Amino acid sequence: MNPLRWSYRVGFLVGFCVCVGLLAFALYAEYGLGMVPCPLCVFQRIAFLAMGLFFLLGGLHAPAGRPGRWTYAALVLLSGLGGVITAGRHLWLQTLPPDQVPSCGPGIGYLFDAFPLGKMLKLVFTGSGECAKVEPILGLPMPAWSLLWFLLLAALAIVASRRRAVEQ
């Protein structure tokens, strides 16, 4: 089963299933492995959730024309871009020497309650000490895996959207 030959619908539904699997693993890592998510981890989860939603909508709708297909692909890519930016920032924080790591700030729940959205996002993306903690899984830190999956899912959306309706 060659992924380059999948129909638009199959490609997008597979993308949805991958996003669900990644979110399920994130919950397992949190509750089963005891890896407490930092604010940047939470935003990466939100990006996977948004990608999964747009993959599901695109897969269920499966528009025949290119404009509809590329609309869903653009929404997936936009969500993925947010995830790539967040995961990249997270990886950068993890590469900082210990003396340059920002101090730990308040939790994300407090930030949501105490600050307006713009200020809260600025505080989260400034990073904090908990975001610099490296806990590798199969030799790579979690944000590296996230970055890889954001790129793979974006490629899947592009490949699926390039398929012509008559090839289905």
Side-chain angles (χ1 to χ4, degrees), residues 30-142:
E30 180 178 352
Y31 296 107
L33 301 177
M35 297 173 71
V36 179
C38 71
L40 292 177
C41 294
V42 171
F43 281 114
Q44 290 169 59
R45 289 181 186 186
I46 292 169
F48 280 124
L49 183 68
M51 286 180 89
L53 175 68
F54 294 128
F55 269 125
L56 178 64
L57 292 174
L60 293 177
H61 181 212
R66 285 193 182 272
R69 289 174 177 223
W70 283 105
T71 299
Y72 286 115
L75 293 169
V76 168
L77 294 173
L78 190 61
S79 303
L81 178 63
V84 165
I85 291 169
T86 306
R89 174 73 177 171
H90 197 170
L91 278 172
W92 176 77
L93 282 171
Q94 289 185 343
T95 61
L96 290 175
D99 63 326
Q100 294 181 8
V101 173
S103 63
C104 289
I108 194 164
Y110 173 78
L111 293 175
F112 271 117
D113 292 340
F115 297 104
L117 182 63
K119 174 92 171 157
M120 186 270 307
L121 288 174
K122 182 179 178 188
L123 289 171
V124 166
F125 280 98
T126 302
S128 62
E130 70 234 7
C131 294
K133 184 178 176 186
V134 178
E135 295 185 49
I137 295 180
L138 297 176
L140 290 176
M142 188 76 86

Side-chain angles (χ1 to χ4, degrees), residues 152-168:
L152 289 172
L153 288 166
L156 176 63
I158 291 169
V159 168
S161 296
R162 292 188 60 170
R163 303 280 298 161
R164 289 187 294 186
V166 294
E167 292 179 299
Q168 308 235 349

